Amino acid sequence: QYAYTLDQFDGRTVDDRHASTASTTTAWDDGDSTFGYLTTNRTDFANDGVIPEFSSRDGWTYGLGLSHTHAAKCRYLTAVALGADVEFADLQGSTFAYRGFATYAAGEVPLNDRLSIILEGGWGYRDYYRATVTPDRNEFIWRGGTRLLYRIDEYWSVAAIFKYDRFDSNNSLFDSDRTIVGFVTAFVF
């Protein structure tokens, strides 16, 4: 899979990104599935900051991950997924280059034949090994979210999503959080 993304705000380019992913999925006889992937992307931000050697976020990011989904086949829980990945960001700016890992879990709870809620959570850690700031900017990442999924038919679905990420750093300049709210539709055949 290859994707090109051009981010613009008010007609001005913020960044552009080239990303590629190689993945494989194994479908087991009992309904379970295992998914593995290797991803790489190259991002070029329009603004590299005052001193690019420290502040640029341009560069390559690599990821490797594996997840397993168990088809629970229960009335109150139809699927459980567990996964882990590692990531390496070899960026130009020493403040943003990192090595990290993450774990995550999800469970799907059916509400009726077409409607279900998916609960997600995760934990990770990033080591900003080249950063020269004090205190260090290494961070624990806490993730939580939910999706309300409606299956229109056997191919189409739409979901309302809510995600929250907490980037817990000892350095108050990088201690932050992020909330994502929106709708996603998917066509799978």
Side-chain angles (χ1 to χ4, degrees), residues 1-6 16-21 40-42:
Q1 176 183 348
Y2 170 79
Y4 172 73
T5 305
L6 176 64
D16 67 330
R17 176 179 297 182
H18 299 268
S20 61
T21 302
T40 183
N41 71 65
R42 170 80 170 100

Coordinates of all heavy atoms in Angstrom, one line a residue, residues 1-6 16-21 40-42:
Q1 N 0.8 -1.2 0.0 CA 0.0 0.0 0.0 C 0.9 1.2 0.0 O 1.9 1.3 0.7 CB -0.9 0.0 1.2 CG -1.7 1.2 1.4 CD -2.6 1.2 2.7 OE1 -2.6 0.2 3.3 NE2 -3.1 2.3 3.0
Y2 N 0.5 2.2 -0.8 CA 1.3 3.5 -0.9 C 0.3 4.6 -0.7 O -0.8 4.5 -1.3 CB 2.0 3.6 -2.2 CG 2.5 5.0 -2.4 CD1 3.7 5.4 -1.8 CD2 1.8 6.0 -3.2 CE1 4.2 6.7 -1.9 CE2 2.3 7.3 -3.3 CZ 3.5 7.6 -2.7 OH 4.0 8.9 -2.8
A3 N 0.6 5.6 0.1 CA -0.2 6.8 0.2 C 0.6 8.1 0.2 O 1.7 8.1 0.7 CB -1.0 6.7 1.6
Y4 N 0.1 9.1 -0.5 CA 0.7 10.4 -0.5 C -0.3 11.3 0.2 O -1.5 11.3 -0.1 CB 1.0 10.9 -1.9 CG 1.4 12.3 -1.9 CD1 2.7 12.7 -1.5 CD2 0.6 13.3 -2.3 CE1 3.1 14.0 -1.5 CE2 1.0 14.7 -2.3 CZ 2.2 15.0 -1.9 OH 2.7 16.3 -1.9
T5 N 0.2 12.1 1.2 CA -0.7 13.1 1.9 C -0.1 14.4 1.8 O 1.1 14.6 2.0 CB -0.8 12.7 3.4 OG1 -1.2 11.3 3.5 CG2 -1.7 13.6 4.2
L6 N -0.9 15.4 1.4 CA -0.6 16.8 1.4 C -1.4 17.6 2.4 O -2.6 17.6 2.2 CB -0.7 17.4 0.0 CG -0.5 18.9 -0.2 CD1 1.0 19.2 0.1 CD2 -0.9 19.3 -1.6
D16 N 4.1 17.4 3.6 CA 3.6 16.4 2.7 C 4.4 15.1 3.1 O 5.4 15.1 3.7 CB 3.9 16.7 1.2 CG 5.3 16.8 0.8 OD1 6.2 17.2 1.6 OD2 5.6 16.5 -0.3
R17 N 3.7 14.0 2.9 CA 4.2 12.7 3.4 C 4.0 11.6 2.3 O 2.9 11.5 1.7 CB 3.4 12.3 4.6 CG 3.7 11.0 5.2 CD 3.0 10.7 6.4 NE 3.4 11.7 7.4 CZ 3.0 11.7 8.7 NH1 2.1 10.8 9.1 NH2 3.4 12.6 9.5
H18 N 5.0 10.8 2.2 CA 4.9 9.6 1.4 C 5.0 8.4 2.3 O 5.9 8.3 3.2 CB 6.1 9.5 0.4 CG 6.2 10.6 -0.6 ND1 5.6 10.6 -1.8 CD2 6.7 11.9 -0.5 CE1 5.7 11.7 -2.5 NE2 6.4 12.5 -1.7
A19 N 4.0 7.5 2.3 CA 4.0 6.4 3.2 C 3.8 5.1 2.4 O 3.0 5.0 1.5 CB 2.9 6.6 4.3
S20 N 4.4 4.0 2.9 CA 4.2 2.7 2.3 C 4.1 1.6 3.4 O 4.7 1.8 4.4 CB 5.3 2.3 1.3 OG 6.5 2.3 2.0
T21 N 3.2 0.7 3.2 CA 3.0 -0.4 4.1 C 3.0 -1.7 3.4 O 2.3 -1.9 2.4 CB 1.7 -0.2 4.9 OG1 1.7 1.1 5.5 CG2 1.4 -1.3 5.9
T40 N 6.8 2.4 6.5 CA 7.8 3.4 6.4 C 7.1 4.7 5.8 O 6.2 4.6 5.0 CB 9.0 3.0 5.6 OG1 10.0 4.0 5.7 CG2 8.7 2.7 4.2
N41 N 7.5 5.8 6.3 CA 7.1 7.1 5.7 C 8.1 8.1 5.8 O 9.0 8.1 6.7 CB 5.7 7.5 6.3 CG 5.9 8.0 7.7 OD1 6.5 9.1 8.0 ND2 5.3 7.3 8.7
R42 N 8.0 9.0 4.8 CA 9.0 10.2 4.7 C 8.1 11.4 4.8 O 7.3 11.6 3.9 CB 9.8 10.1 3.4 CG 10.6 11.3 3.1 CD 11.9 11.3 3.9 NE 12.8 12.4 3.4 CZ 12.9 13.6 4.0 NH1 12.2 13.9 5.1 NH2 13.8 14.4 3.6

